[in-house]
């Protein structure tokens, strides 16, 4: 998963690459996601390594997508990676308030629930799922103004295959809880 950039109205762009079982290379897609309702607004293949170079050589496909969505490429993104089997994290907003993020696994790891806790103790469920063998917390990307995070999980689908990234948006403002 490669983080590309943010838009001021809470859209984010990511590039995901999956191994191609046809030729051993990687197929890559760019997707634009609304981090308020977590809907994917656009998903488009930008490289198929069976017959093209990897996605880093396809700026002519990527830039029009970013321009259309008014997304600015993040030159120095704020990325926090999980450490091994970590399922709890913290994020600090522009007011230096600390928010806690917990990923609760149940049913032998086949279900997850992502919960954010504000500094005032209020909690909200920001995401849940239950359709894979197990889930792994990867980390999060924070918006440049520190008002929002995009939580990233991966799901193991069996036979050594991982799902496309699961991206969950959350606002870091006590009023939103």
């Amino acid at each position: 998963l490669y983080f590309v950039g943010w838009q001021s109205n809470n859209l984010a762009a990511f590039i995901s690459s999956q191994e191609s079982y046809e030729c051993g290379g990687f197929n890559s897609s760019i997707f634009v996601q609304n981090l308020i309702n977590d809907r994917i607004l656009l998903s488009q293949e930008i490289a198929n390594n069976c017959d093209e170079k990897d996605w880093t050589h396809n700026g002519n496909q990527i830039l029009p997508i970013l321009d259309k969505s008014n997304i600015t490429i993040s030159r120095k993104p704020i990325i926090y990676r999980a450490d091994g089997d970590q399922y709890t994290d913290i994020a600090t907003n522009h007011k230096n308030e600390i928010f806690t993020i917990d990923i609760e696994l149940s049913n032998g790891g086949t279900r997850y629930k992502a919960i954010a806790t504000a500094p005032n103790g209020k909690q909200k469920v920001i995401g849940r799922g239950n359709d894979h063998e197990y889930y792994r917390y990867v980390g999060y990307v924070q918006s440049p103004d520190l008002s929002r995070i995009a939580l990233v999980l991966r799901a193991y689908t069996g036979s050594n295959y991982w799902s496309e990234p699961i991206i969950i948006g959350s606002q870091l403002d006590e009023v939103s809880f």
Side-chain angles (χ1 to χ4, degrees):
L1 178 69
Y2 304 91
F3 174 71
V4 179
W6 292 90
Q7 181 198 43
S8 61
N9 72 355
N10 301 312
L11 298 183
F14 300 86
I15 293 175
S16 176
S17 295
Q18 295 280 355
E19 185 176 354
S20 169
Y21 301 102
E22 296 172 14
C23 66
F26 286 90
N27 296 331
S28 300
S29 297
I30 187 168
F31 60 97
V32 175
Q33 184 168 336
N34 179 321
L35 294 178
I36 294 174
N37 60 20
D38 296 330
R39 287 187 25 225
I40 294 176
L41 305 176
L42 176 138
S43 179
Q44 180 177 324
E45 185 175 84
I46 54 172
N48 178 334
N49 256 8
C50 293
D51 56 16
E52 297 177 28
K53 296 179 179 177
D54 67 50
W55 67 266
T56 59
H57 296 89
N58 289 342
N60 59 334
Q61 287 182 280
I62 297 168
L63 292 176
I65 293 168
L66 297 178
D67 289 343
K68 182 178 179 181
S69 299
N70 200 24
I71 292 176
T72 304
I73 294 175
S74 292
R75 300 287 179 206
K76 294 183 179 181
I78 305 167
I79 299 174
Y80 296 90
R81 292 185 52 107
D83 184 18
D85 290 331
Q86 170 185 342
Y87 288 92
T88 299
D89 219 331
I90 61 169
T92 306
N93 68 8
H94 64 283
K95 299 177 190 174
N96 287 326
E97 297 171 324
I98 297 173
F99 291 75
T100 304
I101 309 298
D102 291 297
I103 311 299
E104 294 180 355
L105 299 178
S106 62
N107 200 31
T110 63
R111 294 182 182 152
Y112 80 88
K113 180 168 49 171
I115 301 168
T117 305
N120 62 10
K122 291 184 179 179
Q123 293 184 326
K124 69 177 176 180
V125 174
I126 58 175
R128 63 178 74 223
N130 64 352
D131 55 352
H132 296 293
E133 287 189 26
Y134 67 86
Y135 294 86
R136 173 168 287 149
Y137 171 58
V138 176
Y140 68 88
V141 181
Q142 192 160 18
S143 64
D145 66 359
L146 307 180
S147 68
R148 214 161 185 61
I149 61 171
L151 208 64
V152 181
L153 288 90
R154 295 297 294 262
Y156 184 72
T157 61
S159 302
N160 295 320
Y161 299 118
W162 288 93
S163 71
E164 287 291 323
I166 300 164
I167 311 290
I168 305 165
S170 180
Q171 187 171 344
L172 298 178
D173 184 359
E174 286 183 324
V175 176
S176 70
F177 281 69

